[in-house]
């Protein structure tokens, strides 16, 4: 069963909240992980592996640099679902 | 040392097996409360550990920290930051330039839980599941670093590692930063959180731990004839040290003076204590503080409840300090390893400030060789100028004696 984009956004927001303390409603599609949410590279690696576990996908390390915004991550995870 | 670089204590913080704050810990100590209990973790029974009890913190750090804080800090750093925040607030959040503020936090084993959990993750789930923060969390300087980040301390951030003397040695290092002029204020102390199956199994194989599984609250019994080892504890103690000049200029409340310290090393056995080295540290402390044995009225002993250690230290205290009222607070808190010397400094500062020696519990059948007067209930200390000794000794032959005096 595939997750919808909305479910992925909600799940990502929960992960970001646990990792950084940012409120879940601040995690919006157009926000940049580094520029808007101030998430550093170590936190980003943790968020990626948490997202892999949560959504049952693989996000290759080489791909992480392309996930600039929350929307990029949501779209990548959506597409990566089998 | 007197004069402008004299060092005073202006803030106290602690999270311990008998309380989540200094006030709660001190109240529990004066009431003779044991912080030792049977552990309820699955791993205790699952691994058939020979010791099933410990002195775990009374207030879980996760109850007072945010989720991101608990995810980014090892448990040892979590308790350190809780105690450091309390100490800093207790000192009145001093106005001090970052470049004049130092941090020294000691630990015995560092981020042991992080190390063990990460190894489990690597074996069970592969390298990609190892947290990127693993090394910054497990390194022994992690607690000191997090405290320095929290407070903006830029005069230098240091970690003392000398097993069970680490916390006391941190306070000496902090004192020396102030005396040498490197800092005006230093947040100093010790932390430990290694109530984990591995240290329990290892200490048990050394026959260092009490195995009184049927009566955990009476297992830590320094000086008692039936003592059979120490009780593993966890927690942190932090003090705010300040030059007397700086403290007075800002009108700070001064608990006591950190009058001096002595340190020695045994260069003997890696684990066995050496009373001669301990006595040397105590004598050096008197010289450093420019005090005599007659000034010293109380001692918070290292006294861990091991058959070998307690009496040797008591004889050394008796030899160097003469007639003092001795308290062995590990009878209540268990042994916080790298946190012990710092928590016991907090106790010693309060004993001097409130002129009350805390009790030693479970001393029902004193060892016939016991040469000192041990307080088994709170004992009033004399009026006037007084000083008190705090001893901490660590595997490796590290001996640290601190002298706390009335301000």
């Amino acid at each position: 069963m595939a997750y919808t984009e909305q479910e992925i956004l909600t799940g990502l927001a929960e992960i970001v909240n646990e990792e950084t303390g940012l409120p879940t409603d601040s995690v919006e599609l157009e926000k940049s992980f580094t520029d808007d949410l101030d998430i550093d590279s170590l936190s980003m690696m943790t968020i990626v592996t948490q997202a892999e576990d949560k959504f049952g996908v693989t996000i290759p390390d080489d791909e992480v640099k392309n996930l600039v915004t929350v929307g990029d991550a949501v779209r990548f995870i959506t597409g990566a679902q089998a | 040392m007197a004069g402008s670089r004299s060092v005073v204590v202006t803030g106290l913080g602690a999270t311990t097996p008998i309380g989540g704050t200094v006030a709660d810990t001190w109240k529990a100590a004066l009431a003779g409360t044991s912080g030792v209990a049977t552990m309820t973790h699955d791993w205790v029974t699952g691994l058939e550990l020979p010791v099933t009890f410990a002195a775990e913190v009374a207030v879980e750090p996760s109850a007072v920290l945010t989720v991101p804080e608990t995810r980014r800090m090892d448990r040892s750093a979590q308790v350190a930051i809780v105690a450091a925040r309390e100490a800093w607030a207790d000192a009145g959040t001093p106005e001090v330039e970052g470049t004049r503020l130092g941090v020294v936090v000691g630990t015995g084993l560092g981020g042991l839980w992080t190390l063990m959990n990460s190894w489990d993750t690597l074996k069970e789930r592969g390298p990609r599941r190892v947290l990127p923060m693993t090394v910054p969390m497990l390194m022994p300087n992690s607690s000191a670093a997090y405290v320095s980040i929290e407070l903006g301390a830029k005069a230098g951030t240091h970690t003392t590692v000398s097993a069970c003397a680490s916390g006391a040695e941190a306070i000496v290092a902090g004192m020396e930063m102030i005396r040498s002029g490197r800092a005006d204020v230093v947040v100093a102390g010790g932390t430990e959180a290694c109530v984990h199956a591995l240290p329990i199994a290892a200490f048990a194989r050394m026959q260092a731990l009490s195995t009184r599984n049927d009566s955990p609250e009476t297992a830590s019994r320094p000086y008692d004839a039936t003592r059979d080892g120490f009780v593993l504890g966890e927690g942190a103690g932090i003090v705010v040290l300040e030059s007397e000049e700086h403290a007075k200029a800002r009108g700070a409340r001064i608990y006591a003076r950190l009058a001096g310290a002595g340190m020695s090393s045994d260069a003997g056995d890696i684990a066995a204590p050496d009373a001669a080295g301990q006595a040397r540290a105590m004598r050096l402390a008197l010289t450093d503080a420019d005090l005599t044995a007659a000034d010293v009225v109380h001692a918070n002993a290292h006294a861990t409840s091991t058959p070998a250690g307690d009496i040797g230290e008591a004889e050394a205290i008796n030899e160097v300090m003469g007639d003092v009222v001795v308290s062995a607070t590990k009878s209540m808190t268990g042994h916080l390893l790298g946190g012990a010397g710092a928590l016991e400094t907090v106790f010693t500062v309060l004993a001097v400030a409130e002129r009350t020696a805390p009790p030693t519990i479970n001393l029902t059948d004193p060892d016939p060789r016991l040469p000192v007067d041990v307080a088994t209930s709170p004992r009033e200390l004399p009026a006037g100028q007084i000083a008190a000794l705090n001893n901490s000794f660590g595997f490796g032959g590290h001996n640290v004696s601190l002298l706390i005096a009335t301000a």
Side-chain angles (χ1 to χ4, degrees):
Chain A
M1 190 195 79
Y3 292 94
T4 66
E5 289 204 356
Q6 184 55 49
E7 285 168 341
I8 292 167
L9 176 63
T10 303
L12 264 183
E14 285 164 4
I15 292 168
V16 169
N17 169 259
E18 285 214 342
E19 177 66 15
T20 66
L22 289 165
T24 51
D25 61 10
S26 69
V27 182
E28 298 169 309
L29 290 173
E30 70 279 10
K31 293 280 178 73
S32 159
F33 285 108
T34 51
D35 297 342
D36 297 322
L37 301 179
D38 198 26
I39 289 170
D40 62 23
S41 60
L42 292 184
S43 289
M44 192 63 192
M45 294 308 287
T46 305
I47 289 165
V48 163
T49 47
Q50 296 270 324
E52 287 185 334
D53 286 350
K54 191 159 196 152
F55 303 114
V57 297
T58 300
I59 307 173
D61 291 348
D62 289 349
E63 192 61 42
V64 176
K65 65 178 183 300
N66 300 326
L67 307 181
V68 177
T69 65
V70 174
D72 293 338
V74 170
R75 280 185 291 276
F76 183 87
I77 293 165
T78 304
Q81 295 182 102
Chain B
M1 181 184 276
S4 64
R5 302 314 292 176
S6 170
V7 178
V8 295
V9 180
T10 57
L12 301 174
T15 183
T16 77
I18 57 174
T21 62
V22 168
D24 286 351
T25 296
W26 183 240
K27 189 176 164 202
L30 293 180
T33 310
S34 171
V36 184
T38 299
M39 293 182 285
T40 55
H41 314 291
D42 293 343
W43 47 264
V44 178
T45 43
L47 292 168
E48 298 179 359
L49 291 175
V51 175
T52 57
F53 59 93
E56 298 177 277
V57 286
V59 176
E60 275 295 308
S62 59
V64 284
L65 297 175
T66 67
V67 172
E69 285 170 339
T70 58
R71 288 172 57 88
R72 281 165 170 268
M73 291 183 219
D74 180 77
R75 188 172 175 84
S76 58
Q78 292 173 21
V79 289
I81 208 89
V82 169
R85 283 175 182 166
E86 185 191 8
W88 192 247
D90 187 52
T93 55
E95 291 269 336
V96 56
E97 283 292 319
T99 53
R100 302 295 301 161
L101 173 63
V103 171
V104 191
V105 181
T107 180
L109 299 184
L112 184 99
W113 269 104
T114 298
L115 176 65
M116 301 307 294
N117 285 347
S118 301
W119 178 235
D120 289 345
T121 300
L122 174 61
K123 284 184 298 178
E124 290 160 15
R125 306 189 61 210
R128 288 197 80 241
R129 288 296 179 273
V130 173
L131 286 174
M133 283 292 286
T134 300
V135 170
M137 285 170 71
L138 73 82
M139 62 192 190
N141 54 313
S142 193
S143 295
Y146 273 116
V147 173
S148 77
I149 292 164
E150 168 104 5
L151 302 177
K154 296 179 177 176
T157 294
H158 308 285
T159 300
T160 50
V161 179
S162 48
C164 307
S166 303
E169 194 181 337
I171 291 168
V172 180
M175 178 185 77
E176 287 175 349
M177 283 182 84
I178 293 172
R179 282 181 174 181
S180 70
R182 283 181 62 206
D184 295 319
V185 183
V186 177
V187 176
T191 188
E192 204 77 67
C194 67
V195 180
H196 178 283
L198 184 74
I200 290 171
F203 282 130
R205 291 306 295 159
M206 294 182 94
Q207 299 192 302
L209 289 182
S210 169
T211 56
R212 209 174 283 254
N213 289 322
D214 55 349
S215 179
E217 65 284 356
T218 69
S220 189
R221 43 196 316 116
Y223 308 126
D224 192 85
T226 64
R227 68 190 183 279
D228 70 332
F230 78 85
V231 174
L232 186 59
E234 63 173 359
I238 299 280
V239 298
V240 176
L241 304 176
E242 198 161 347
S243 76
E244 185 172 9
E245 189 180 23
H246 192 274
K248 285 188 168 162
R250 71 178 183 91
R253 177 261 330 268
I254 296 173
Y255 282 102
R257 203 157 52 82
L258 176 52
M263 297 199 286
S264 71
S265 49
D266 297 333
D269 193 84
I270 195 72
D274 176 356
Q278 297 170 1
R280 211 146 40 82
M282 289 182 237
R283 283 197 189 91
L284 288 166
L286 283 175
T287 304
D288 184 56
D290 199 18
L291 293 171
T292 67
D295 299 312
V296 181
V297 299
H298 165 59
N300 189 306
H302 185 62
T304 62
S305 183
T306 58
D310 293 9
I311 293 298
E313 181 201 12
E315 287 170 350
I317 291 172
N318 189 42
E319 176 194 326
V320 178
M321 299 296 172
D323 193 16
V324 294
V325 175
V326 174
S327 300
T329 45
K330 288 186 184 79
S331 60
M332 299 178 280
T333 64
H335 191 353
L336 271 58
L337 309 186
L343 172 59
E344 288 152 24
T345 298
V346 170
F347 284 142
T348 310
V349 166
L350 287 170
V352 167
E354 301 197 359
R355 295 182 194 273
T356 306
T360 304
I361 65 169
N362 300 325
L363 181 53
T364 50
D365 180 15
D367 188 315
R369 297 168 295 166
L370 183 62
V372 291
D373 174 18
V374 178
T376 53
S377 57
R379 187 86 66 84
E380 192 177 340
L381 298 174
Q385 286 288 318
I386 57 170
L389 170 75
N390 174 26
N391 279 340
S392 295
F393 315 125
F395 281 173
H398 312 276
N399 306 308
V400 181
S401 294
L402 299 169
L403 282 168
I404 310 291
T406 35

